[in-house]
Amino acid sequence: MWSNLPFELLANIFSHLSPDSLARAKSACKSWHTCANNSPSWATLPWRQYPPWFLALPTRNHGRFICAHNPINDSWHLLPLDFIPNPIRPIAAVNGLILLRETTTTALQLAICNPFTRQFRHLPKLNVTRTNPAVGVISLDSANFQVYVAGGMSVASSTGGGASYEPSLEVYDSVNENWKTIGSMPMEFAVRLTVWTPNESVYCNGILYWITSARAYTVMGFEIRNKNWRELSVPMADRLEFAALVERNGKLCLVGGTSDAGACIWQLEETNNWRMIEKVPQELWARLFGGKGRWGSINTRCVCIGGAMCLYRDLGSGMLVCAENGTKWAWHWIEGCGTIKGVKLQNFPIKGLLLHPYLASSSFCLNK
């Protein structure tokens, strides 16, 4: 009976499976594998009814692989990245894919990959060659996205001119597959986006935000429609030992804290004032930085998708995860990754991403 099911019916059944269950179903036979890879339903049902996976990517030369945490059965898996030709650094997750930058060159060269289907492709070169710009990502729908690049240092000219800050902004559209220069910015913003801004952006209500990495923290935003720049102050800006922006229920939120006072979450109101909406449980916060005091707090990172939020430090120290339950915040602890299938792993700094695994072949990665 199963071998004679219509393609559309089988695809509908597959669309309700969790990612790990679907992976097992794909390996059952050739026809199921073909159905799972080519079903049009994957574009609209990327398993967002299930919790997202946490992907830990090394930030230094610790190998080319991903340690992936499956929240359904609380297990860690190793995903090799040997299909990627050059060393990379992760930037952001978008639509089940990972935006990367190559580290073999100082000039920004972006690429995209799906670590679950082992697909990879380069994005075209930017219109302006630049180093260390701020990078932001916007998901347009379940299949398409935009990448924004702002600031950075231009390359020194062949006529003897030195490198300078680049006060322009470019956008890449996955539909048109090209870069377009869309505006300029104050030189002061170009400097801060280049020197003090990590590649961690948040898109909320038509504005793409970045937070500076230097204390006192500030937030810079780019209004997509009218192409205006804005600057926002940050609560406890000169005291926070770590700070990160997240989007929650259509609102911009700030997660930040100190080793002694703990961590809080503030929400930006329509008046551009911040209101504290949650405090991280102190016992879990203390467990996260493991008694390392201020040093542990400074190295804390945060990543968020939908209603899920994760605070982490490195691969082995464990993670503090928050999943909203209606109007309540449910905090729980996840042990770090020390071993995978009996193989002990070295602890190292990571870049954490939350995404819903996309197990069908990505048409974007195929369109090289």
Side-chain angles (χ1 to χ4, degrees):
M1 179 186 70
W2 282 99
S3 61
N4 295 321
L5 281 178
F7 183 95
E8 293 78 10
L9 179 58
L10 186 61
N12 183 271
I13 295 172
F14 283 172
S15 70
H16 295 281
L17 298 179
S18 63
D20 51 329
S21 296
L22 180 64
R24 288 192 291 269
K26 285 177 63 176
S27 64
C29 64
K30 185 177 180 180
S31 62
W32 283 23
H33 187 275
T34 301
C35 177
N37 276 343
N38 296 285
S39 170
S41 64
W42 305 141
T44 56
L45 290 174
W47 309 289
R48 287 191 171 92
Q49 65 269 40
Y50 294 98
W53 286 41
F54 178 82
L55 304 188
L57 292 85
T59 56
R60 299 173 186 169
N61 299 324
H62 292 280
R64 292 161 64 183
F65 58 86
I66 294 175
C67 295
H69 180 263
N70 179 355
I72 297 175
N73 57 19
D74 191 20
S75 61
W76 287 91
H77 305 268
L78 195 66
L79 305 178
L81 297 180
D82 52 359
F83 62 95
I84 298 179
N86 296 317
I88 52 88
R89 289 277 180 88
I91 294 178
V94 57
N95 297 347
L97 306 173
I98 301 178
L99 180 68
L100 312 162
R101 62 152 298 173
E102 291 195 349
T103 59
T104 54
T105 174
T106 55
L108 182 68
Q109 173 61 61
L110 298 173
I112 205 92
C113 85
N114 185 334
F116 294 92
T117 60
R118 297 174 61 82
Q119 292 176 283
F120 172 85
R121 68 166 291 185
H122 286 101
L123 269 59
K125 293 184 180 298
L126 281 74
N127 293 327
V128 177
T129 302
R130 56 183 92 199
T131 63
N132 202 39
V135 180
V137 182
I138 296 176
S139 175
L140 301 177
D141 52 43
S142 60
N144 300 304
F145 60 90
Q146 291 178 331
V147 181
Y148 287 77
V149 173
M153 295 289 292
S154 64
V155 176
S157 68
S158 58
T159 58
S164 60
Y165 292 103
E166 179 56 48
S168 66
L169 185 143
E170 298 182 47
V171 59
Y172 173 84
D173 194 307
S174 65
V175 177
N176 301 322
E177 298 193 18
N178 58 24
W179 289 96
K180 181 180 179 181
T181 302
I182 60 171
S184 60
M185 69 185 74
M187 183 59 72
E188 177 190 354
F189 277 36
V191 174
R192 289 161 59 189
L193 286 169
T194 303
V195 179
W196 297 115
T197 303
N199 288 321
E200 296 175 356
S201 65
V202 170
Y203 177 70
C204 185
N205 296 325
I207 303 175
L208 189 61
Y209 294 97
W210 289 274
I211 188 169
T212 61
S213 59
R215 295 183 297 276
Y217 290 100
T218 58
V219 173
M220 287 174 286
F222 177 72
E223 300 174 5
I224 302 298
R225 176 172 293 182
N226 56 26
K227 299 180 175 58
N228 287 334
W229 287 88
R230 61 163 61 180
E231 182 177 5
L232 299 171
S233 60
V234 171
M236 298 175 57
D238 58 346
R239 293 178 52 204
L240 294 177
E241 294 167 0
F242 94 97
L245 297 175
V246 298
E247 185 273 339
R248 172 185 172 269
N249 296 332
K251 297 286 188 178
L252 180 69
C253 294
L254 173 77
V255 184
T258 65
S259 57
D260 54 352
C264 299
I265 301 174
W266 293 269
Q267 179 175 287
L268 184 67
E269 303 297 313
E270 293 182 359
T271 58
N272 283 341
N273 294 318
W274 296 94
R275 177 174 64 89
M276 191 177 76
I277 58 174
E278 175 69 1
K279 187 172 178 63
V280 178
Q282 185 62 35
E283 66 277 9
L284 291 177
W285 172 244
R287 185 177 181 182
L288 178 64
F289 60 82
K292 296 183 181 296
R294 185 171 179 270
W295 178 251
S297 178
I298 289 175
N299 287 284
T300 299
R301 301 290 182 266
C302 179
V303 62
C304 178
I305 182 173
M309 182 187 305
C310 178
L311 294 167
Y312 67 94
R313 289 199 305 113
D314 48 43
L315 183 65
S317 296
M319 301 178 294
L320 185 52
V321 176
C322 176
E324 292 185 56
N325 183 11
T327 58
K328 297 182 179 180
W329 298 71
W331 296 91
H332 63 278
W333 181 261
I334 294 178
E335 294 295 337
C337 181
T339 61
I340 294 182
K341 293 184 177 180
V343 179
K344 187 174 181 179
L345 298 180
Q346 177 186 2
N347 191 22
F348 48 77
I350 60 172
K351 163 78 171 183
L353 301 173
L354 286 175
L355 59 73
H356 297 274
Y358 197 87
L359 302 187
S361 296
S362 169
S363 59
F364 176 79
C365 288
L366 292 174
N367 295 331
K368 297 183 178 181

